[in-house]
Amino acid sequence: MQKLEQLYEGKAKKVFATEDAALLIVQYKDDATAFNGKKKGTIAGKGVINNRMSNYLMRRLASAGVPTHFVEELSERETLVRRVQIVPLEVIVRNLSAGSFCRRYGFPEGVRFARPTVEFSYKNDALDDPLICLPHIFAMELATEAEMADIRRYALQINALLSEFWESCGVTLVDFKLEFGRLPDGTIILADEISPDTCRLWDSESGEKLDKDRFRLDLGGVEDAYAEIMRRLEEHEKA
Ligand code: ADP
Ligand code: MG
């Protein structure tokens, strides 16, 4: 499958058309942004890691019955995916307190919740992706009630599957962000990516951060953390 014209360049990926109108090619970049683009940089090799990790995890989810956009890995940085109309929401699942949850509520980091939480942000860079509630999602007709029920169910199913997988790699899945989209027939599927850019991943023993927070918070060792989390995943893949 050949890349045709570039349709979009996002913060982390470029999106290209293909000769098949139902398929797109996403190309992962090393560009890193944080705090809705206010902080910019690069993380050498990140695009290669995120591409491979996202594809591996989406294949696992698909085999457990979660529909995803993944079709085929084309190269180190490029993947063929099913084209969807993105639901303009960031779907955030949390198992432990971190990040904006702690800032918003003045709550300590690293507290495990009795049950996971699911929340939504309105995907809108100009507005800094504000937190949004279901009534407002329905008022703006961003998604229907039936679609939100599917999205919530998939988000919790994905959390259960990924939490168990990462725990077997010695990693705690603290929280993560998903994006869903609609196929032409209206079916909701998982799209975008699952990577250290979009997940908080802490070493289960030491609590060391092995994700984009090392970049966001200037903790150093950013490239090493991405390499380490990929190493853990590959070790599991071999076992
Ligand atoms: P952003 O700057 O919005 O985070 P990214 O660089 O992460 O963008 O990704 C590029 C864009 O591709 C995003 O807007 C994302 O929603 C979109 N996208 C991801 N998967 C698909 C897909 N299967 N079909 C259509 N668009 C997609
Ligand atoms: Mg993105």
Side-chain angles (χ1 to χ4, degrees):
M1 195 67 68
Q2 296 283 2
K3 274 191 294 195
L4 299 180
E5 78 275 16
Q6 183 176 309
L7 299 177
Y8 182 72
E9 175 162 3
K11 296 185 290 290
K13 303 183 287 298
K14 293 179 181 179
V15 181
F16 297 89
T18 69
E19 56 240 50
D20 184 336
L23 300 175
L24 298 174
I25 291 173
V26 293
Q27 182 182 321
Y28 285 75
K29 306 188 288 181
D30 286 350
D31 297 356
T33 64
F35 309 112
N36 293 311
K38 286 187 271 291
K39 180 183 170 95
K40 288 194 175 73
T42 57
I43 301 174
K46 165 173 92 77
V48 174
I49 288 174
N50 287 8
N51 184 41
R52 295 186 45 208
M53 185 174 298
S54 189
N55 293 342
Y56 175 80
L57 295 174
M58 287 210 193
R59 274 190 244 109
R60 279 189 82 92
L61 293 174
S63 65
V66 178
T68 85
H69 74 164
F70 175 77
V71 177
E72 187 190 352
E73 191 164 296
L74 300 176
S75 72
E76 271 196 325
R77 289 179 185 269
E78 293 166 323
T79 294
L80 190 66
V81 300
R82 289 200 274 177
R83 180 184 208 144
V84 295
Q85 179 190 47
I86 292 284
V87 176
L89 297 172
E90 298 203 332
V91 179
I92 299 153
V93 182
R94 301 177 188 273
N95 296 303
L96 284 79
S97 59
S100 63
F101 185 97
C102 297
R103 285 197 298 277
R104 182 172 300 122
Y105 304 123
F107 193 81
E109 181 183 69
V111 178
R112 183 174 281 280
F113 303 139
R115 60 177 67 84
T117 68
V118 183
E119 84 217 30
F120 309 100
S121 296
Y122 180 31
K123 208 172 138 57
N124 183 318
D125 281 333
L127 299 176
D128 278 355
D129 300 339
L131 191 64
I132 189 168
C133 57
L134 282 174
H136 294 178
I137 291 171
F138 301 140
M140 290 195 278
E141 299 185 3
L142 302 179
T144 66
E145 295 205 29
E147 287 174 335
M148 292 312 294
D150 281 349
I151 286 173
R152 209 189 126 75
R153 185 167 43 79
Y154 287 142
L156 288 170
Q157 189 185 354
I158 292 164
N159 182 49
L161 292 163
L162 293 185
S163 292
E164 191 193 1
F165 169 73
W166 281 118
E167 213 49 61
S168 75
C169 300
V171 172
T172 300
L173 179 60
V174 174
D175 59 32
F176 58 98
K177 182 272 296 182
L178 301 170
E179 294 181 27
F180 292 86
R182 301 176 187 97
L183 292 174
D185 72 358
T187 310
I188 292 284
I189 66 171
L190 178 66
D192 205 51
E193 64 175 282
I194 307 173
S195 71
D197 276 19
T198 64
C199 301
R200 286 197 172 86
L201 301 163
W202 296 355
D203 181 274
S204 302
E205 297 274 293
S206 65
E208 191 190 353
K209 292 177 166 58
L210 297 172
D211 56 58
K212 201 170 88 174
D213 267 350
R214 299 207 74 83
F215 169 78
R216 288 192 192 95
L217 306 173
D218 294 316
L219 298 176
V222 184
E223 279 87 359
D224 289 348
Y226 278 70
E228 173 62 16
I229 204 77
M230 194 64 205
R231 193 187 64 74
R232 302 266 187 110
L233 181 144
E234 279 170 344
E235 239 167 40
H236 185 287
E237 208 177 353
K238 272 184 254 145

